Amino acid sequence: AQTVTQSQPEMSVQEAETVTLSCTYDTSESDYYLFWYKQPPSRQMILVIRQEAYKQQNATENRFSVNFQKAAKSFSLKISDSQLGDAAMYFCAYRRNSNYQLIWGAGTKLIIKP
Amino acid sequence: DAEITQSPRHKITETGRQVTLACHQTWNHNNMFWYRQDLGHGLRLIHYSYGVQDTNKGEVSDGYSVSRSNTEDLPLTLESAASSQTSVYFCASTGTSGDEQYFGPGTRLTVT
């Protein structure tokens, strides 16, 4: 069975600095998708970034980028120039290509220090 | 704009009562999901549906049921509420590409 592990329950970073959130996963599949979702205090789940496993190039969305290491089954999220609005829970998720179900990590709480 | 809504946003009920949480989406998505969120567990899949009349059990389906009579709605029923079902419940949907799951605002359920 596939599993997703986020080993950092909480991280803190100074405003304007860079922070990296870790995620590892376990799968025997070769074709899959990985996601980072953000959940601010409002509780709304928001997609941050998506990576297709068949793509070697790391996905980027403005200040957010990933380091996808397929062989190591690692999928970390880098947030550059951290802003106060980045404070939230961040969840890593995995989806097999053959279905639509997401498997979630336990989340990392990101604190931004002003 | 398309959206996904849940009602009620907050619910307090007593042990043993039947409770139904509503989920309605206007994305015209075939695929809909119910999750529960508990501290330290992330989101766990309760039930999902890939179309009208299709329902499937997820990881933590015991004590829950769903029905899908149209594309827009996937109500979640707790047959006999238990204190262990106190949680935040999220409904989500996704289209054929599965590129993104769109989430409702969540329902906080307390079972006393």
Side-chain angles (χ1 to χ4, degrees):
Chain A
Q2 294 88 8
T3 59
V4 177
T5 302
Q6 294 179 248
S7 59
Q8 307 152 316
E10 187 175 294
M11 292 280 285
S12 63
V13 64
Q14 207 72 33
E15 190 177 5
E17 293 188 347
T18 295
V19 64
T20 298
L21 308 183
S22 301
C23 173
T24 58
Y25 58 95
D26 185 25
T27 184
S28 58
E29 304 282 331
S30 60
D31 197 7
Y32 51 87
Y33 298 81
L34 296 163
F35 305 82
W36 279 99
Y37 276 82
K38 170 185 177 181
Q39 186 181 40
S42 67
R43 215 165 62 191
Q44 184 67 47
M45 296 291 287
I46 303 164
L47 178 65
V48 175
I49 201 164
R50 176 182 65 248
Q51 175 80 42
E52 292 89 342
Y54 66 86
K55 290 186 177 179
Q56 292 187 343
Q57 187 172 5
N58 289 322
T60 63
E61 288 287 343
N62 300 314
R63 298 182 294 108
F64 298 87
S65 61
V66 298
N67 183 3
F68 174 47
Q69 301 289 327
K70 191 172 184 178
K73 297 179 183 176
S74 171
F75 183 60
S76 60
L77 175 69
K78 186 171 82 171
I79 306 174
S80 304
D81 186 25
S82 297
Q83 300 176 0
L84 294 177
D86 295 333
M89 286 291 293
Y90 285 82
F91 293 95
C92 179
Y94 163 97
R95 178 174 80 82
R96 295 166 60 184
N97 187 42
S98 58
N99 66 42
Y100 298 106
Q101 300 165 49
L102 290 178
I103 299 169
W104 298 81
T108 297
K109 182 178 182 179
L110 180 63
I111 299 168
I112 310 295
K113 298 177 182 178
Chain B
D1 287 347
E3 61 178 355
I4 181 166
T5 57
Q6 293 182 235
S7 62
R9 295 293 308 278
H10 299 88
K11 174 79 175 177
I12 300 173
T13 191
E14 295 178 344
T15 302
R17 290 192 179 266
Q18 183 180 79
V19 176
T20 296
L21 308 183
C23 174
H24 179 81
Q25 54 98 1
T26 59
W27 290 97
N28 198 32
H29 286 158
N30 283 328
N31 311 303
M32 297 184 71
F33 309 85
W34 272 104
Y35 298 95
R36 60 178 289 173
Q37 183 178 25
D38 304 289
L39 199 62
H41 286 281
L43 276 74
R44 291 183 290 177
L45 184 63
I46 304 171
H47 280 286
Y48 61 100
S49 169
Y50 287 164
V52 176
Q53 304 300 331
D54 176 72
T55 60
N56 305 279
K57 294 181 178 180
E59 175 189 2
V60 290
S61 61
D62 287 349
Y64 304 94
S65 64
V66 294
S67 61
R68 187 89 180 270
S69 59
N70 58 50
T71 300
E72 296 80 16
D73 299 289
L74 187 69
L76 177 71
T77 297
L78 286 68
E79 303 293 344
S80 177
S83 58
S84 60
Q85 295 177 309
T86 292
S87 187
V88 178
Y89 292 84
F90 285 96
C91 180
S93 72
T94 189
T96 306
S97 70
D99 285 348
E100 179 176 355
Q101 284 195 11
Y102 296 87
F103 283 80
T107 294
R108 182 176 294 278
L109 177 67
T110 302
V111 182
T112 62

